[in-house]
Amino acid sequence: MSTPTISIEQARESLKTEFDSLSDKKQILRSKTLEGLMANLKSLPNEEKASYGRDLNALKGEVIGWVNASEAEAQELGPIDVTAPFDSNTPENMRPALLSTKLGSKHPIMAELEYIVDIFSRMGFEAVESRQIDDDYHMFESLNFPEGHPARDDYDTFMTTDGLIAPAHTSTMQNRVLRQFKDNLENGKPIAVVIPDRVFRNEDVDVTHEHTFHQFEGVYIDKGVTVGNLIATLKTFMSEYFGQDLKAKLQPFYFPFTEPSFEFAIERPASLRKGTTEADMWLELLGCGMIHPNVLKAADIDPTIYTGFAWGCGIERLVMMKNNIEDIRHFQAGKLDFLRQFS
Ligand code: FA5
């Protein structure tokens, strides 16, 4: 039985000495010592090969580790972490605080969406999620936009080749919730539903327009509901959301699915008033109106007995106004500096 002329322990020491003296550290991988160890392995009896081979592999791994560490050091780089939320070439002092020391947090839109639903649930509204793919009937027909209606152009969105539609607003849910909660009316209760979700538009993106954003729809139906109830509901929500009493005004507008239709503007919260002109005082937030009789009929609700109102509000714009955010594109940019301000 032959024994190795050099033990693994001795080999490690002589390799380390050789490594330290090399200017091109990679040369160590071609070292005579390593080659000698390989030759030893071949000459060993079979029963000793396995354990010697394991030790030799471990030593080779160690040597490769020395080479990698010296290369990283030469380039002033740490070991590469592909999950790092920054370019690993960024110098230490310019890196964002390490995520490992801090948990992630909810996206501000999701957090605000939950807060909005919470306010409405305290006002007696149920919450129903919208959907992110829909059809022509719910996007247009049921909302009193017949085929060829010019107002369809205002809701230009994305469509699959099978005619499925990425909804341009949360109003696509109106027909569904009217049908789902119709029994309420027969039992003497109102239909009161709030519907948040993501919506999509073929939009020229700018500081206040995104192609993908969030809305929340509100629907309220009962006997004898008037525009007065609509204003009171929205004002109550706004003062709760902004934490202060704000003046509100309605200005006439057009939507095929409401009659009359309005845009709802609020007196700007103090933090968002930049001057004293009319435009600086008022802020348009949402579209709303009294639900069109044809929309009620499409859900088999008798418009001669019941009336109701609906609104659709952009969540990003609401959050921008509350937090003084100057550009809507921050929300989808995935920039940690922006998101951390809300954590
Ligand atoms: C609508 O979407 C109607 N469905 C609202 C409605 C519902 C009216 C129920 C009557 C009854 P409009 O296109 O104006 O309307 O959008 C409503 C709100 O969504 C706007 O006031 C704004 O806050 C937000 N919004 C619209 N387009 C964008 C966009 N590209 N980026 C960000 N927010 C937007």
Side-chain angles (χ1 to χ4, degrees):
M1 188 178 108
S2 64
T3 46
T5 51
I6 174 171
S7 75
I8 294 285
E9 222 16 81
Q10 287 165 328
R12 179 184 290 105
E13 266 173 44
S14 84
L15 280 165
K16 189 72 180 109
T17 314
E18 189 182 343
F19 177 78
D20 288 341
S21 69
L22 287 171
S23 55
D24 178 4
K25 302 291 187 194
K26 272 194 291 234
Q27 288 301 332
I28 194 71
L29 301 174
R30 284 191 278 279
S31 158
K32 289 265 178 290
T33 311
L34 276 179
E35 278 169 20
L37 292 172
M38 289 301 290
N40 281 345
L41 178 65
K42 282 184 201 139
S43 67
L44 280 178
N46 280 346
E47 62 274 21
E48 288 177 30
K49 270 187 179 151
S51 99
Y52 185 82
R54 243 192 329 272
D55 291 348
L56 177 52
N57 270 340
L59 177 60
K60 273 171 77 182
E62 215 178 299
V63 173
I64 291 169
W66 301 342
V67 175
N68 288 344
S70 75
E71 282 182 349
E73 204 178 306
Q75 293 172 45
E76 286 184 306
L77 286 182
I80 291 171
D81 174 2
V82 290
T83 64
F86 47 79
D87 183 333
S88 24
N89 293 312
T90 312
E92 199 77 42
N93 61 354
M94 288 170 68
R95 289 179 184 180
L98 272 181
L99 284 183
S100 57
T101 61
K102 206 169 172 201
L103 288 176
S105 59
K106 255 187 206 142
H107 191 280
I109 294 298
M110 285 301 125
E112 293 297 309
L113 189 152
E114 283 172 17
Y115 178 47
I116 291 164
V117 167
D118 178 54
I119 296 174
F120 278 108
S121 67
R122 280 185 270 134
M123 290 166 69
F125 283 72
E126 298 202 41
V128 171
E129 248 180 326
S130 181
R131 47 180 67 199
Q132 296 181 21
I133 196 79
D134 216 316
D135 54 32
D136 188 86
Y137 179 75
H138 291 93
M139 179 68 217
F140 295 118
E141 289 287 330
S142 68
L143 289 168
N144 199 32
F145 294 82
E147 185 78 56
H149 194 294
R152 285 187 173 216
D153 292 350
D154 296 336
Y155 299 88
D156 186 13
T157 178
F158 309 93
M159 218 174 253
T160 68
T161 43
D162 314 336
L164 290 172
I165 297 173
H169 54 176
T170 42
S171 302
T172 46
M173 289 298 287
Q174 284 196 17
N175 185 267
R176 290 193 185 90
V177 297
L178 297 194
R179 290 184 176 282
Q180 185 182 342
F181 293 97
K182 208 160 55 179
D183 289 353
N184 284 13
L185 300 176
E186 277 139 36
N187 297 327
K189 287 196 296 182
I191 296 179
V193 188
V194 62
I195 313 152
D197 218 326
R198 185 174 280 146
V199 293
F200 311 87
R201 291 191 189 181
N202 180 11
E203 190 85 75
D204 284 336
V205 171
D206 63 22
V207 291
T208 52
H209 293 87
E210 260 291 7
H211 50 75
T212 302
F213 59 101
H214 294 77
Q215 284 188 337
F216 67 97
E217 190 87 358
V219 173
Y220 189 91
I221 300 173
D222 203 352
K223 285 184 183 156
V225 176
T226 66
V227 173
N229 302 122
L230 165 63
I231 300 173
T233 305
L234 291 175
K235 273 188 75 172
T236 307
F237 166 73
M238 294 298 170
S239 12
E240 186 71 21
Y241 183 76
F242 287 107
Q244 54 183 297
D245 265 332
L246 301 162
K247 278 197 211 144
K249 72 170 178 180
L250 289 191
Q251 42 209 27
F253 202 70
Y254 172 75
F255 297 105
F257 37 96
T258 44
E259 181 57 38
S261 302
F262 309 98
E263 274 182 343
F264 182 89
I266 54 162
E267 193 181 52
R268 286 178 184 260
S271 62
L272 283 164
R273 269 182 231 158
K274 294 197 178 85
T276 51
T277 63
E278 184 74 1
D280 288 321
M281 294 300 287
W282 297 96
L283 208 59
E284 281 170 33
L285 274 186
L286 55 91
C288 60
M290 299 304 289
I291 299 177
H292 195 286
N294 288 351
V295 174
L296 295 176
K297 280 190 218 152
D300 297 324
I301 293 175
D302 186 345
T304 62
I305 304 176
Y306 299 103
T307 50
F309 57 80
W311 73 83
C313 180
I315 298 182
E316 277 78 0
R317 291 208 189 150
L318 209 57
V319 179
M320 286 168 81
M321 282 154 202
K322 187 165 152 195
N323 295 291
N324 239 332
I325 296 165
E326 81 298 353
D327 193 329
I328 196 169
R329 290 168 289 197
H330 290 316
F331 291 113
Q332 293 208 75
K335 293 263 186 232
L336 291 173
D337 286 355
F338 173 74
L339 297 174
R340 288 222 175 91
Q341 296 176 60
F342 301 88
S343 61

